Amino acid sequence: MNTILITGGVGFIGTNVAKKFIDEGYNVLAFDNLQRPGVNENLEFLRQYGNDHFDFLWGDVRNLSDIKQMYDRKFLRQEIVCCIHLAANPGIPRSLQDPLYDFEINAKVTLNMLEFARFPNPIPFLLASTNKVYSDIINNYPMT
């Protein structure tokens, strides 16, 4: 059966995306480091909700050996048909305190995941980003 890989898969958005894909009949492989508060509850919810259609893989997207675990799944056990990349540092305060961490998790890791989706058999890649990178000024522009 087709599997959707979601990095940051048990965060707020990841949980809701996973639930939607499970409802649509897909298997979901959530990859997360469980760093954010509240994600353990999301993980338990998805394990119960998804039953046999949900799998979890602990790892940190900054660590290439953890990403290798996803390659192993991609080629040996599961047919990953799409990567939805949600793993990120969503907060401005942390980015100001530690800009190297912020760059690594938000930019370098995105490149790593693009490579994952590209090699050796390309799969669709979706990236979600927060509007926080634009600040609240974006809300002042008129919509047409």
Side-chain angles (χ1 to χ4, degrees):
M1 178 172 280
N2 293 338
T3 298
I4 306 295
L5 168 66
I6 305 173
T7 64
V10 296
F12 175 75
I13 296 172
T15 297
N16 286 283
V17 170
K19 182 180 177 295
K20 178 65 175 169
F21 276 105
I22 290 167
D23 290 344
E24 296 291 324
Y26 288 89
N27 288 330
V28 170
L29 172 60
F31 183 85
D32 205 299
N33 67 1
L34 304 177
Q35 180 180 356
R36 308 253 321 155
V39 296
N40 287 315
E41 289 84 9
N42 294 344
L43 175 58
E44 287 311 309
F45 166 78
L46 286 171
R47 282 183 168 149
Q48 291 176 13
Y49 186 85
N51 201 3
D52 293 334
H53 295 282
F54 177 78
D55 195 11
F56 175 73
L57 185 60
W58 184 91
D60 189 323
V61 289
R62 295 174 298 159
N63 187 335
L64 291 176
S65 66
D66 288 351
I67 291 175
K68 184 183 180 310
Q69 294 179 79
M70 289 186 280
Y71 278 101
D72 293 343
R73 296 282 179 113
K74 185 175 177 181
F75 302 124
L76 298 179
R77 293 190 283 276
Q78 295 175 333
E79 185 181 347
I80 296 173
V81 296
C82 180
C83 175
I84 301 174
H85 179 50
L86 305 174
N89 170 38
I92 298 294
R94 177 126 191 222
S95 71
L96 296 173
Q97 294 167 353
D98 191 352
L100 292 176
Y101 166 82
D102 190 71
F103 175 81
E104 184 177 34
I105 193 80
N106 291 334
K108 182 181 174 193
V109 162
T110 299
L111 179 61
N112 289 343
M113 293 311 303
L114 282 165
E115 284 296 293
F116 169 83
R118 181 177 78 95
F119 178 79
N121 300 315
I123 59 174
F125 181 87
L126 288 89
L127 169 68
S129 180
T130 176
N131 67 344
K132 291 181 186 332
V133 298
Y134 305 107
S135 77
D136 284 334
I137 199 166
I138 195 74
N139 298 321
N140 297 327
Y141 291 103
M143 295 285 282
T144 55

